[in-house]
Amino acid sequence: MMTSLRRLRTRRALALAGLVAVAAPLVSSCGFDYATDRPNVIADGGYHIDGDVHVLAARIVAPSDGTGTFVATISVEPSADDATFSGLSGEGVTAGQFEPVTIPSNGSVNLFTEGGVPVTGDFAAGDSVPVTLDFGSGKSIDIDARVVKQCAEYAEVATPSPSPSKSPKAGASASPSAEATTEPYDCSYPTAPAIGESEGD
């Protein structure tokens, strides 16, 4: 009887040791700093999620090459003070005048619906344009803005008019978004030939 119990205990111990041996490499393979451990941001455009001020879905919505409207969603952490977006710049990019935008603590502002920043420069749809967002606190955020055609879901982008106090002086050029110097983008979708017809028919 005692011999049977000893054999049973030995078998259980060996089985347990086998499970530990199999599980050990699986656990150790988890490691650190894997992609699943980092924040997953799904956004159409550039983003910045470090610090107290976050910028998501940074884009330049362009009706044609070289002109467009910068938009993004800017949010502020609950533990931070209000932030004021006051300036935009970038290499080869000229930003038009706009009213500073205040983002409340624990709040956000979507420039696509509230009004973006008119810009001109050497860019076209599909490009990624490095820009810098300046804030009233002296903080700045560098981000890449993706250039998208002003078509489909981007067709109704809001572009605010300059305030009277910041209107261009007599003889000065108008806002960068006031006139396009290139052919507007074609927003039509290509049509597929009917079944049984070739493209040349």
Side-chain angles (χ1 to χ4, degrees), residues 89-166:
S89 60
E91 185 176 352
V93 176
T94 301
Q97 297 171 333
F98 68 99
E99 283 291 333
V101 179
T102 298
I103 304 94
S105 175
N106 196 30
S108 64
V109 172
N110 185 352
L111 298 179
F112 185 87
T113 56
E114 298 297 324
V117 180
V119 294
T120 57
D122 184 16
F123 55 78
D127 291 348
S128 184
V129 180
V131 296
T132 300
L133 283 71
D134 297 319
F135 294 86
S137 63
K139 177 183 177 65
S140 63
I141 293 177
D142 296 325
I143 198 169
D144 290 335
R146 189 166 69 86
V147 183
V148 298
K149 294 181 180 180
Q150 190 173 335
C151 302
E153 66 268 32
Y154 300 113
E156 302 300 325
V157 61
T159 305
S161 300
S163 63
S165 61
K166 294 186 178 182

Side-chain angles (χ1 to χ4, degrees), residues 7 9 12 29 35 37 49-50 68 70 81 83-84 105 118 120 125 135-136 143 151 162-163 170 177 184 191:
R7 289 178 178 174
R9 289 173 181 172
R12 288 179 177 175
S29 65
D37 296 331
I49 57 175
D50 297 327
F70 172 83
D81 295 332
T84 301
S105 175
T120 57
F135 294 86
I143 198 169
C151 302
S163 63
S177 64
T191 57

Side-chain angles (χ1 to χ4, degrees), residues 1-13:
M1 184 68 177
M2 293 296 294
T3 301
S4 298
L5 289 174
R6 288 175 182 172
R7 289 178 178 174
L8 180 60
R9 289 173 181 172
T10 301
R11 289 174 181 173
R12 288 179 177 175

